Amino acid sequence: MRTIFFFFFVFGFGSLLLAQQKANVQPGVISVYQKGLQGIGPDFGNNPASENFYSQMRDKFAALGIEQQLNLRDIEGSIYINEAFESGSILFKGQEDRKMFMRYNAFNDEFEIKNTNLKEDKTLALLKNQDISCVLNGHLYSYMILLDKKGERNQAYLKEVVSLGNYRLFEQNKKLFKEGKPAKTSHSVSFPHRFVDETNYYLALDDAFPVYIPSKKKEFVTLFSAEHQPKVKKFIKEKGIDLKTKRGLVNVVTFAGNL
């Protein structure tokens, strides 16, 4: 058993405590979220996502000059990919370190974890670190440096879909907040506040950063190695591959990985 350090940040008390504990997770920096003080904002219970979401929405409405308290229950949809905590594994540098219960918060892009007692254990936020990854429902999630749709360097959790030859295909699941719109007339339709899903795909060549996969075929083909590009282009055309679907991307990457 290895001795490591945890940083504990307790909401409502505003204090940062440093405690030395024994655990398997390395480097072991985990934020502990607790219920906020009574009378300050909504009662979030043991839910860090609610606290973070409320803070963001409060700032958003304040900037618009709108006084409105918004709770998660006022919004359709969920911020989670899996609402309930499920058994998963935490890996350190690719090796399984320990098993915990977890769920992926796609709004905040973080894994919320619990140890053994789902009803009593505090909800923890796993440190975002490139050495730490998770396996949930048979899928590997890694916190990676990537090049996003704007061509800018960023970091996020990516789920591995295919790894073959020199290529790795990743999926990014996001939850976006869409502000509701009230009906202006009796004949118009209103839309509630809601969370909507956004799925992006990334392709990594050899050890390079994963790059956002564009919708245009010409731009997509350039992500492959120069020697494979003519064959990939021909394969897409002959097979009538729909690059807007996950299945289509998997077929192309599998083909290229076998070249």
Side-chain angles (χ1 to χ4, degrees), residues 113-215:
I113 58 178
K114 289 191 175 187
N115 194 10
T116 55
N117 193 325
L118 295 180
K119 293 184 179 180
E120 297 181 6
D121 283 357
K122 296 180 178 67
T123 299
L124 312 177
L126 186 66
L127 170 71
K128 295 180 179 181
N129 185 290
Q130 293 177 53
D131 288 332
I132 300 175
S133 53
C134 297
V135 175
L136 180 62
N137 292 325
H139 298 291
L140 175 65
Y141 291 82
S142 302
Y143 193 67
M144 309 180 72
I145 297 175
L146 54 84
L147 295 180
D148 62 22
K149 64 175 63 178
K150 296 180 180 180
E152 298 177 352
R153 182 167 165 165
N154 211 327
Q155 287 183 281
Y157 276 108
L158 297 180
K159 180 174 68 176
E160 187 174 278
V161 179
V162 174
S163 180
L164 191 63
N166 298 336
Y167 303 100
R168 290 181 296 162
L169 176 66
F170 298 95
E171 179 178 321
Q172 180 188 38
N173 302 119
K174 302 176 70 174
K175 293 281 187 174
L176 306 179
F177 173 75
K178 295 294 183 180
E179 189 173 343
K181 295 182 179 180
K184 296 182 178 180
T185 68
S186 59
H187 300 290
S188 60
V189 180
S190 62
F191 295 95
H193 297 303
R194 62 201 185 280
F195 290 110
V196 297
D197 295 297
E198 179 181 286
T199 303
N200 298 315
Y201 293 95
Y202 289 79
L203 183 67
L205 173 61
D206 296 322
D207 295 325
F209 297 143
V211 179
Y212 173 79
I213 295 178
S215 58

Side-chain angles (χ1 to χ4, degrees), residues 214-229:
S215 58
K216 294 183 179 179
K217 181 178 69 175
K218 183 177 181 180
E219 295 176 358
F220 171 55
V221 172
T222 62
L223 300 182
F224 294 85
S225 64
E227 62 178 319
H228 291 164
Q229 288 180 22

